[in-house]
């Protein structure tokens, strides 16, 4: 049967872990999901506890099935807090304030990148939030939440999640705009590699927007907003998933509001 804590289920029959009627329905949903390349869900009870099975197509003849206890799902209020990223944004602002002060003191260049992870919201919504968090953990490991190059003068960065599908990155110590573009491209390439969770492989698409201290703003809030505007343009356009902020983007944003 199903346990309270996660257990490996590879190689086990659905009938061994679910009630017989639920197992029959799950098999039907699996066949339907493979045929329709869609997703499906089913709620069932076992020993007085409620469970949900989420099934999504994963390849031409495979599905990913996540079974969780409904009581263990993230509360809507907590989920909304994570989506909005209010606490994370405040923490990033404090980090950015200190970094801007250090950049002025050391006469270093500084930029803020906003990276949106296309595909992560779908994992959270259609598969399972806990799977999405494991994907985020892998992405954070790739970014390595901080890289201190100050000792040898090489570029450095610090990355923080500021929402369900968004990272903000402080980049410092780059030589010029071309060098910054190269660093951001390398970060995007590292994030774009498939993420493996158990036997499943998830493909995601990072979109990167960049705002440069001095050129695009002098305060964390303005730089973050401008980087986010550039990121939205990167998602829309044909810039290879990476875009720098410019006054042209500001005019486009105002035009859309009109």
């Amino acid at each position: 049967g199903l346990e309270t804590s996660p257990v490996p289920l590879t190689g086990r029959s659905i009938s061994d872990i679910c009630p017989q009627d639920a197992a029959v329905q799950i098999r039907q949903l699996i066949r339907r999901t493979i045929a329709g390349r869609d997703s499906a869900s089913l709620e069932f009870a076992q020993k007085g506890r409620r469970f949900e099975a989420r099934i999504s197509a994963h390849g031409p003849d495979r599905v990913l099935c996540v079974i969780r206890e409904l009581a263990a799902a993230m509360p809507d209020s907590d989920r909304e807090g994570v989506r909005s990223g209010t606490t994370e944004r405040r923490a990033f602002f404090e980090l950015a304030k200190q970094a801007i002060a250090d950049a002025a003191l050391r006469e270093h260049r500084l930029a803020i990148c906003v990276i949106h992870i296309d595909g992560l919201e779908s994992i959270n919504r259609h598969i399972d939030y806990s799977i999405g968090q494991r994907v985020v953990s892998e992405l954070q490991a790739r970014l390595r939440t901080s890289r201190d190059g100050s000792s040898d003068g090489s570029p450095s960065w610090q990355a923080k999640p500021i929402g369900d599908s968004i990272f903000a990155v402080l980049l410092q110590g780059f030589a010029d705009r071309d060098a910054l573009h190269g660093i951001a491209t390398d970060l995007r390439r590292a994030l774009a590699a498939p993420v493996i969770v158990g036997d499943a492989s998830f493909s995601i698409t990072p979109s990167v927007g960049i705002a440069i201290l001095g050129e695009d703003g002098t305060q964390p809030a303005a730089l973050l907003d401008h980087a986010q505007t550039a990121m939205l343009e990167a998602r829309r356009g044909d810039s290879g998933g990476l875009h720098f902020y410019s006054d042209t983007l500001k005019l486009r944003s105002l035009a859309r509001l009109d």
Side-chain angles (χ1 to χ4, degrees):
L2 293 165
E3 308 294 335
T4 301
S5 56
V7 292
L9 302 177
T10 303
R12 295 178 61 183
S13 169
I14 295 175
S15 299
D16 293 339
I17 59 175
C18 297
Q20 186 60 38
D21 56 344
V24 170
Q25 293 182 67
I26 289 173
R27 288 194 182 95
Q28 292 173 345
L29 289 177
I30 288 173
R31 288 192 289 269
R32 189 184 309 166
T33 298
I34 291 175
R37 311 297 305 148
D38 203 350
S39 60
S41 63
L42 169 73
E43 293 186 17
F44 62 91
Q46 184 179 43
K47 297 180 180 178
R49 293 152 57 195
R50 298 290 302 173
F51 292 89
E52 179 188 44
R54 288 188 177 185
I55 304 161
S56 58
H58 209 78
D61 56 0
R62 299 180 66 193
V63 299
L64 179 65
C65 180
V66 176
I67 301 175
R68 65 175 184 176
E69 188 172 7
L70 287 175
M74 174 176 282
D76 289 341
S77 58
D78 291 348
R79 188 185 298 270
E80 190 59 38
V82 172
R83 281 204 187 100
S84 64
T86 304
T87 302
E88 291 86 350
R89 289 175 77 92
R90 280 199 296 263
F92 182 78
F93 282 152
E94 292 303 315
L95 185 68
K97 286 178 183 177
Q98 185 60 52
I100 289 172
D102 290 344
L105 182 65
R106 301 181 184 184
E107 297 183 342
H108 281 179
R109 295 175 179 268
L110 181 144
I112 288 180
C113 297
V114 170
I115 305 175
H116 183 275
I117 309 298
D118 287 305
L120 186 56
E121 185 176 352
S122 178
I123 295 172
N124 288 334
R125 181 177 299 172
H126 299 297
I127 299 177
D128 189 69
Y129 188 82
S130 65
I131 300 295
Q133 289 306 291
R134 291 175 68 179
V135 172
V136 169
S137 295
E138 169 61 22
L139 297 179
Q140 284 184 279
R142 294 179 186 182
L143 284 170
R144 279 283 50 101
T145 48
S146 70
R147 172 183 169 178
D148 186 3
S150 58
S151 59
D152 59 6
S154 63
S156 64
W157 63 77
Q158 293 174 283
K160 301 288 184 185
I162 58 170
D164 252 6
S165 304
I166 300 178
F167 287 93
V169 183
L170 280 168
L171 284 162
Q172 302 179 72
F174 50 90
D176 52 31
R177 193 182 185 94
D178 287 342
L180 174 58
H181 186 280
I183 295 167
T185 298
D186 287 344
L187 286 175
R188 184 181 180 278
R189 187 178 296 118
L191 293 174
V195 178
I196 308 300
V197 178
D199 291 333
S201 174
F202 297 98
S203 296
I204 58 174
T205 304
S207 299
V208 182
I210 306 172
I212 302 173
L213 177 66
E215 297 180 23
D216 304 318
T218 59
Q219 299 299 317
L223 287 170
L224 190 64
D225 285 346
H226 290 167
Q228 187 156 344
T229 298
M231 175 272 292
L232 292 173
E233 189 66 21
R235 294 183 70 192
R236 277 191 292 262
D238 55 358
S239 57
L242 191 153
H243 210 286
F244 283 84
Y245 180 78
S246 66
D247 289 338
T248 302
L249 289 186
K250 182 178 180 180
L251 292 175
R252 287 182 190 172
S253 297
L254 293 174
R256 289 190 186 101
L257 290 176
D258 292 339

